[in-house]
Amino acid sequence: MSILGPAIAKKYDLDYSNTSDLNKAIEHLREGGQIVVHVRRREPGIALFTKSGHYMLITSTDGKDFCMLDPSYTPEKYHIPEREGKVNDENAPYLYCDVNVVHNEGHYEKPKYHLFSRKKK
């Protein structure tokens, strides 16, 4: 995404940056930006969002939860024992999850958050 992100931003005339800082990600959303988050499994087994690695879109936040779209969402995905009760999918396809939980699921070796926004004029 560190290579694809700048190419997407150029094609659609957007600003792009990346960070692993949760507070910067929250501020970016509050300013009207969007985020592609890179989540990854850290240990053997099933992680909250993925069995290996995965990208999701974060659309907004109230500072407590992220509102997200998961391209691999299915009605049963978050209702297996390892995930039950951790992601609110009552308004699917919009999913809600605690910002700290998402942050802890983020990739630990690469930037977690890929920030996109309309160019400031």
Side-chain angles (χ1 to χ4, degrees):
M1 187 55 74
S2 294
I3 295 170
L4 183 60
I8 292 169
K10 182 177 180 181
K11 178 172 177 56
Y12 293 101
D13 198 29
L14 301 170
D15 284 328
Y16 168 81
S17 61
N18 60 46
T19 186
S20 290
D21 185 291
L22 176 59
N23 292 322
K24 287 181 182 179
I26 290 171
E27 184 62 28
H28 180 76
L29 291 167
R30 288 184 169 162
E31 292 174 355
Q34 303 281 296
I35 297 174
V36 173
V37 61
H38 189 188
V39 292
R40 183 173 178 190
R41 180 186 67 179
R42 293 176 190 238
E43 300 170 5
I46 297 174
L48 181 56
F49 300 110
T50 182
K51 293 179 182 175
S52 57
H54 187 50
Y55 289 97
M56 299 187 325
L57 178 67
I58 303 175
T59 62
S60 63
T61 186
D62 61 2
K64 179 182 174 287
D65 292 324
F66 281 139
C67 175
M68 304 173 298
L69 293 168
D70 180 349
S72 71
Y73 172 76
T74 62
E76 55 281 335
K77 180 174 181 179
Y78 296 105
H79 296 285
I80 62 172
E82 298 88 349
R83 296 176 176 154
E84 188 67 48
K86 297 177 184 173
V87 175
N88 178 339
D89 65 349
E90 290 176 13
N91 295 303
Y94 296 97
L95 308 172
Y96 297 87
C97 187
D98 183 280
V99 297
N100 292 299
V101 170
V102 175
H103 185 73
N104 289 335
E105 293 286 324
H107 199 295
Y108 48 91
E109 296 170 344
K110 297 179 182 178
K112 293 179 185 191
Y113 306 108
H114 299 271
L115 315 176
F116 294 89
S117 60
R118 295 189 187 274
K119 289 193 177 216
K120 295 177 175 81
K121 299 191 181 207

